[in-house]
Amino acid sequence: MQPNIEAFLDPVTQTLSYIVFDEPGGTCAIIDPVLDYDHRSGRTSTLSADSLIAFVENQRLKVEWILETHVHADHLTSAHYLRSQLGGKTGIGREVPKVQRIFKEIFNLGPEFMPDGRHFDHLLGNDETFEIGKLSAKAISTPGHTPADLSYQFGDVIFIGDTLFMPDLGTARADFPGGDARQLFRSIRKLLEQPAETRLFMCHDYPPPTRQARWESTVAEQRARNIHVHDGISEDSFVAMREARDATLDMPMLLLPSVQVNVRAGGMPPPEGNGVSYLKIPLNLI
């Protein structure tokens, strides 16, 4: 069975969230959901997540999984909120403790934060298979952007997180803590070894003024036209390009708040004595 797919574009962060389901009245997974965050006031809201809930309820779906392709640095996840409203299990890549350890040190998180993946219901390994109603799914390890990136395959469809963008935009950066451009190239080539007609769904699109936002491509299109990794680009050439380009990029606006929430599967830091949760801003470190 091929999946039904509903895409939701967050215009603030240009993030794509997806609901993948077998049939109306059936079972679904939610991939990379967004929690709205105003960086000026520090306030969160659930407008984006509530649109996912409305679709789930309208289609009479049971949520089996809430899946993250990685610990995002450009938006906060609403996985914790959605789990409280809809049920389901939260899942992420098995290597996520590596990411948690990195950011535990950067943010000097207290002893209550254990970097062992316990914040998620299940850590998925490479080639691990699982069921979503009548759909069969497989996790594919695709590190490089972070050490713990996963892609999710349903039949001829793969949700590829932050590995590739649309062909005119190229590939994701690899300079976040724990990122590796060489590893990213090898992960991308693993994806591009899939059959030519395999459909690839992006986690982001940052369209130029000349086109509308798009988030679906194919292996054939990426191999022919991706400006960074089309066929004929060598690993060494890609690494040199990626590292030079990354050195010119600003950090994402929501990097600091995002990772502190996302390493906790969308949970907030423990409230302090006044009942308020706080996020940390490390000075002159990143």
Side-chain angles (χ1 to χ4, degrees):
M1 172 180 280
Q2 293 299 320
N4 294 287
I5 301 166
E6 189 73 15
F8 299 79
L9 175 64
D10 172 40
V12 177
T13 64
Q14 294 298 121
T15 300
L16 274 304
S17 303
Y18 298 98
I19 297 177
V20 185
F21 61 104
D22 52 6
E23 59 190 358
T27 304
C28 74
I30 299 173
I31 300 176
D32 290 337
V34 172
L35 181 70
D36 303 295
Y37 176 77
D38 183 346
H39 70 278
R40 292 162 296 192
S41 67
R43 299 194 69 87
T44 63
S45 68
T46 60
L47 185 64
S48 294
D50 289 338
S51 67
L52 304 180
I53 292 174
F55 182 86
V56 167
E57 293 178 342
N58 181 263
Q59 295 292 316
R60 308 180 315 281
L61 298 172
K62 174 189 174 185
V63 176
E64 186 74 23
W65 286 94
I66 303 168
L67 299 169
E68 302 287 355
T69 54
H70 62 291
V71 173
H72 304 275
D74 41 37
H75 69 273
L76 282 66
T77 178
S78 58
H80 181 81
Y81 170 71
L82 289 172
R83 185 176 181 274
S84 72
Q85 300 298 306
L86 298 172
K89 302 182 291 291
T90 55
I92 199 168
R94 185 169 290 168
E95 301 303 314
V96 77
K98 293 181 180 178
V99 179
Q100 292 179 320
R101 286 193 291 271
I102 290 169
F103 287 110
K104 179 181 175 72
E105 181 176 352
I106 287 175
F107 291 103
N108 196 30
L109 302 180
E112 79 285 346
F113 182 79
M114 300 297 293
D116 56 8
R118 68 178 62 187
H119 309 80
F120 299 86
D121 294 314
H122 187 71
L123 305 185
L124 291 143
N126 184 44
D127 289 336
E128 183 172 344
T129 59
F130 54 102
E131 305 301 317
I132 298 172
K134 298 177 180 178
L135 296 173
S136 295
K138 182 173 76 170
I140 304 171
S141 178
T142 48
H145 176 65
T146 82
D149 282 52
L150 274 189
S151 298
Y152 297 102
Q153 183 167 16
F154 300 78
D156 70 351
V157 168
I158 308 178
F159 297 88
I160 61 174
D162 284 11
T163 52
L164 290 164
F165 296 142
M166 293 303 294
D168 58 337
L169 298 181
T171 62
R173 64 196 298 166
D175 62 331
F176 294 149
D180 185 286
R182 196 167 297 278
Q183 205 173 41
L184 178 62
F185 179 86
R186 294 173 184 177
S187 294
I188 290 170
R189 294 313 306 181
K190 179 163 67 170
L191 292 172
L192 297 185
E193 288 169 1
Q194 296 284 333
E197 65 275 11
T198 302
R199 296 185 289 159
L200 305 176
F201 284 80
M202 316 296 125
C203 187
H204 299 283
D205 189 38
Y206 307 101
T210 54
R211 69 168 174 83
Q212 298 284 322
R214 293 178 56 214
W215 46 86
E216 181 180 351
S217 182
T218 65
V219 164
E221 183 182 14
Q222 293 285 355
R223 292 184 65 159
R225 296 180 42 229
N226 188 286
I227 60 172
H228 293 165
V229 287
H230 60 76
D231 285 353
I233 298 293
S234 72
E235 181 174 316
D236 287 343
S237 295
F238 173 82
V239 171
M241 177 281 301
R242 189 69 266 170
E243 291 180 348
R245 180 174 173 79
D246 288 350
T248 70
L249 300 177
D250 293 331
M251 285 291 104
M253 181 181 297
L254 298 184
L255 170 69
L256 297 178
S258 291
V259 293
Q260 295 179 72
V261 171
N262 295 344
V263 293
R264 295 179 167 95
M268 296 298 162
E272 298 193 9
N274 60 357
V276 177
S277 293
Y278 290 86
L279 298 171
K280 293 184 175 183
I281 305 295
L283 299 177
N284 304 315
L285 180 60
I286 297 179

